[in-house]
Amino acid sequence: MMMKNNTFEEIAEVLASAGKVLIFPHINADGDAIGSSAALCRALRSLGKECYILIEDEIAGNLKFLDDGLTTSDTGVMKADVSVCVDCGETGRFPLRAEKFAEAPVTVCIDHHETSKGFCTYNHIDPDAAATAQLVFRLIKAMGVEIDKAMGEAVFAGILTDTGSFRYSNTQKETHLIAAELYDSGIDAAGVAQEIFETVRIERLLVENRAVETMVTLHGGKAVLAYVTQEMLRETGATMDETEGVVGQLRSIAGVELAVFLKEYAPEEIKVSLRSKKYVDVAKFSSDFNGGGHERAAGFTLRCPIAEAFDRVKEYVSAMPEMK
Ligand code: 5GP
Ligand code: MN
């Protein structure tokens, strides 16, 4: 499935010859998408490039500390020489910016999703990397830029988010080696962790409780499904990004192999998050619904009412041979 990757050196050269660069993280950007984008944006600016991260939705509250004048939602901000998408590998992951992305004469993809196809002029896709931030770290070095505290903290944020603080099975020796090197850049590791994980609002805990209460179990407790609706958000005062931890909590239950969490973004726009613990390939699961992701974390969107979406996913899980 995989095409040939371009080396970081090749991509560094492409970026070196550009004057203006736009960076595209995926929608509902997580810590890896924003961290990778922020680190790369800072590195490019340090080389004198004009660079912005173009976004199409609001940055989650706990990630705002990574953005210090780096992001814009103004597609008119510049006509880029190079468009770079990070932590995603298809235009459907930045739908409202797809046209803007393609406007640049050269495009680059830096990603670690095994479902990414390599649709850009230059691609570096490494599904073994725990986080795209690891790839950005290597790219910045290939660019000859010394990683400073702010870049280091952005990379660290990406790693921390995508590895569940070094707990998930995607964590590699390379992950720890990079994290160790980041200390030399003067990062405040505990400070980053606190910003991301320990600055929650009470509304988050309230909506988490409501969502967990909807839980339905299948296959004798090996699979669990739960959901959150707009009504629950209204009643608790929480925002949708504050439900992001629920799917991990569901997976953490003893005996659970597969956790499925449905989020009602709009009446007929249901985003489904999948997590598995040891053996279920959720990248395949999400591909069956035109989504994508990794073996142990993936997702997709269904365009139907929440009740129908829940039934469809429940039916699929009920029939999964590997859960029997
Ligand atoms: P989450 O459940 O946290 O939104 O996403 C889990 C993983 O699956 C992330 O790596 C994310 O990029 C990927 N993912 C989630 N939804 C989609 C989707 O609709 N399409 C694709 N290609 N990947 C997705
Ligand atoms: Mn990622």
Side-chain angles (χ1 to χ4, degrees):
M1 142 253 179
M2 195 69 77
M3 70 309 136
K4 195 179 159 293
N5 264 336
N6 295 104
T7 63
F8 291 129
E9 287 70 24
E10 281 175 289
I11 293 172
E13 229 170 88
V14 168
L15 294 173
S17 60
K20 298 180 180 191
V21 181
L22 270 182
I23 301 173
F24 294 68
H26 57 77
I27 41 168
N28 308 130
D30 56 11
D32 190 29
I34 293 295
S36 297
S37 298
L40 184 58
C41 187
R42 288 180 186 281
L44 285 163
R45 285 187 183 182
S46 81
L47 291 173
K49 314 290 180 192
E50 205 181 314
C51 183
Y52 276 98
I53 303 166
L54 187 64
I55 54 174
E56 65 185 62
D57 47 13
E58 229 207 304
I59 298 182
N62 66 341
L63 299 175
K64 288 203 171 113
F65 76 100
L66 294 169
D67 178 22
D68 181 15
L70 305 176
T71 68
T72 178
S73 46
D74 175 12
T75 50
V77 66
M78 68 165 75
K79 207 166 181 313
D81 303 317
V82 180
S83 290
V84 185
C85 64
V86 295
D87 201 38
C88 54
E90 58 194 285
T91 56
R93 297 291 283 148
F94 41 93
L96 302 180
R97 292 162 290 160
E99 209 175 305
K100 184 69 186 173
F101 184 82
E103 182 188 281
V106 175
T107 58
V108 173
C109 173
I110 311 289
D111 190 22
H112 71 139
H113 290 91
E114 63 182 43
T115 45
S116 289
K117 304 283 185 295
F119 74 110
C120 290
T121 327
Y122 296 87
N123 301 279
H124 191 104
I125 298 161
D126 181 357
D128 290 330
T132 297
Q134 291 185 186
L135 306 176
V136 167
F137 176 87
R138 294 291 172 216
L139 173 60
I140 293 174
K141 291 194 126 189
M143 287 159 60
V145 172
E146 187 170 342
I147 294 178
D148 65 13
K149 182 170 189 268
M151 286 176 218
E153 291 188 343
V155 169
F156 193 72
I159 290 176
L160 218 49
T161 307
D162 268 25
T163 61
S165 306
F166 305 96
R167 283 178 299 143
Y168 302 155
S169 58
N170 58 354
T171 309
Q172 319 151 272
K173 179 177 175 182
E174 166 88 350
T175 315
H176 288 283
L177 288 174
I178 291 174
E181 252 190 271
L182 292 176
Y183 280 80
D184 297 333
S185 308
I187 63 160
D188 175 4
V192 172
Q194 273 166 23
E195 289 281 1
I196 295 179
F197 302 116
E198 294 180 46
T199 50
V200 306
R201 302 189 311 144
I202 182 68
E203 287 82 354
R204 177 176 175 132
L205 303 186
L206 295 174
V207 79
E208 283 177 349
N209 280 342
R210 288 290 301 276
V212 169
E213 279 171 4
T214 70
M215 191 177 87
V216 168
T217 65
L218 290 171
H219 299 294
K222 279 192 285 184
V224 293
L225 288 82
Y227 62 88
V228 65
T229 61
Q230 285 296 321
E231 197 184 351
M232 292 177 189
L233 294 180
R234 263 196 310 277
E235 285 171 6
T236 56
T239 57
M240 192 57 97
D241 67 270
E242 289 177 305
T243 68
E244 144 218 73
V246 174
V247 70
Q249 293 177 339
L250 296 170
R251 173 174 62 180
S252 74
I253 299 167
V256 167
E257 168 60 24
L258 172 65
V260 182
F261 186 54
L262 292 87
K263 296 180 265 191
E264 183 191 46
Y265 274 86
E268 302 213 354
E269 186 189 342
I270 314 300
K271 167 115 182 48
V272 184
S273 286
L274 306 172
R275 297 290 186 274
S276 63
K277 207 178 260 168
K278 290 187 178 130
Y279 56 87
V280 169
D281 182 354
V282 291
K284 189 195 165 294
F285 183 155
S286 66
S287 293
D288 288 345
F289 289 91
N290 292 315
H294 315 278
E295 236 181 329
R296 301 283 172 261
F300 57 90
T301 299
L302 290 175
R303 309 219 170 261
C304 63
I306 181 92
E308 187 184 328
F310 194 84
D311 287 345
R312 277 176 65 187
V313 176
K314 192 174 157 200
E315 209 168 291
Y316 180 94
V317 175
S318 300
M320 284 172 83
E322 63 268 48
M323 296 296 304
K324 296 208 166 121

